[in-house]
Amino acid sequence: MTIDTVELSVEDRQVLFLYQIKFSAFEHLFAAGSGDVVFQGKTWLKSDIKHGRIRSSGNPDSQNTSLDIPLDSEVAKLYRITPPSERVSLSIYNYDPGEDDAAVEWKGILASHSFSESKLNFTVQSLRNATLMQGLRKKQSYQCPHQVYGIGCNLARSNYVVAGNVLTVVGNQINVPEFAGFGDGYFAGEQITWSSAQGLINRRLITESNNAGDLTILHTLSDLEIGTQVVAAPSCDKSLVTCRDRFNDNTDNFGGFAFYREKNVLNGSTAF
């Protein structure tokens, strides 16, 4: 192939952008062009979808971009009431029709969203930016710094989950008879989980719970119906007493300093 042939082939390329949006077991495929595209055995639907400028930079904030999706798309419909509970990923491909493969233009996650007159606007965070986010340093405290059921706590959530069927739904408040008898605040601060009729896993934060099995959920519950099975696990207030009494004496993994003295005996203060 001569250099003239190479230059002409590059100049005559008709590049399309393909967008893959995934979360849980769901996948939505869009093509920014004049028609549907069949690629790798899948149909990428024609859409007026568009992303912002993509650039490489040492500044993490400059690596983020934006994404605009028409309001009539299936993805936009999911965000009209409450967004998906799972992390939503975005992959953008640079595709030349007729080729067997496509170059990865950008990968990231949908971080936040807002609605305009005809579009759903996303701020999209690059994968590199997400992995570079700094965590919190562990400091000395009375309370345990571990996330319950996480690293350090070393408890298995499956050993503590309580399942039940929703009896009533009023706004963002529900009643689950199986959650009664555990005491006020037993589930507050944890998540309630259920599967929708479409198979989507939903997770919502429990802000309040009482001994009668009443739960207050952070968001509206338009897709939670009476009779739906839900599961939740007990929360933790990070105290040594709760670690001992609620979680079968898990004090060996307690990360706080419950008996820490504020007085410094090395600067002349007495210990007692």
Side-chain angles (χ1 to χ4, degrees):
M1 181 179 291
T2 65
I3 187 171
D4 292 335
T5 303
V6 173
E7 289 181 347
L8 288 174
S9 64
V10 172
E11 184 178 351
D12 292 339
R13 289 181 67 202
Q14 297 179 347
V15 176
L16 299 176
F17 285 114
L18 304 180
Y19 300 84
Q20 180 188 52
I21 298 175
K22 295 181 64 176
F23 59 94
S24 188
F26 295 84
E27 180 181 60
H28 297 273
L29 306 175
F30 301 103
S34 58
D36 296 347
V37 173
V38 178
F39 173 63
Q40 293 183 344
K42 300 178 181 179
T43 300
W44 304 65
L45 301 178
K46 171 191 172 183
S47 175
D48 187 22
I49 188 173
K50 184 179 180 181
H51 65 270
R53 181 182 179 185
I54 297 176
R55 58 182 178 180
S56 299
S57 171
N59 181 5
D61 293 334
S62 299
Q63 298 172 11
N64 296 338
T65 187
S66 60
L67 182 72
D68 297 335
I69 299 180
L71 290 180
D72 60 353
S73 70
E74 291 299 322
V75 173
K77 294 177 182 178
L78 291 172
Y79 281 82
R80 284 183 177 174
I81 301 177
T82 53
S85 303
E86 302 292 323
R87 189 177 79 164
V88 182
S89 65
L90 169 68
S91 298
I92 303 176
Y93 298 93
N94 192 323
Y95 174 64
D96 191 355
E99 296 293 333
D100 296 329
D101 201 0
V104 177
E105 184 79 8
W106 197 86
K107 281 182 175 288
I109 59 175
L110 304 185
S112 61
H113 69 281
S114 62
F115 287 92
S116 62
E117 184 176 350
S118 60
K119 299 280 188 177
L120 173 60
N121 314 114
F122 285 101
T123 297
V124 193
Q125 187 179 46
S126 70
L127 287 181
R128 181 176 182 274
N129 194 1
T131 56
L132 289 177
M133 293 180 64
Q134 296 182 353
L136 299 177
R137 294 184 177 181
K138 182 179 178 181
K139 296 184 178 181
Q140 193 176 50
S141 63
Y142 289 104
Q143 293 183 322
C144 178
H146 301 318
Q147 176 65 40
V148 63
Y149 312 115
I151 298 174
C153 178
N154 299 331
L155 292 176
R157 183 187 296 268
S158 58
N159 294 336
Y160 294 89
V161 293
V162 180
N165 296 317
V166 177
L167 180 63
T168 62
V169 179
V170 181
N172 65 332
Q173 295 181 331
I174 66 174
N175 179 267
V176 184
E178 291 82 357
F179 289 2
F182 289 97
D184 294 342
Y186 187 80
F187 298 101
E190 266 297 309
Q191 292 182 331
I192 186 170
T193 306
W194 72 94
S195 297
S196 67
Q198 295 77 24
L200 180 65
I201 302 298
N202 290 289
R203 293 184 176 89
R204 298 289 184 267
L205 179 67
I206 303 172
T207 58
E208 296 180 15
S209 68
N210 61 28
N211 194 54
D214 298 320
L215 306 178
T216 301
I217 314 302
L218 182 61
H219 295 291
T220 55
L221 303 169
S222 60
D223 54 348
L224 181 59
E225 300 177 352
I226 294 175
T228 301
Q229 185 182 63
V230 296
V231 297
S235 60
C236 181
D237 62 3
K238 312 295 185 179
S239 69
L240 181 64
V241 174
T242 300
C243 187
R244 180 193 64 202
D245 298 341
R246 184 176 294 180
F247 297 102
N248 300 326
D249 196 13
N250 190 42
T251 53
D252 286 345
N253 294 314
F254 184 76
F257 297 85
F259 305 104
Y260 171 71
R261 294 185 179 274
E262 294 183 357
K263 291 184 178 181
N264 184 359
V265 297
L266 300 180
N267 65 359
S269 301
T270 58
F272 302 97

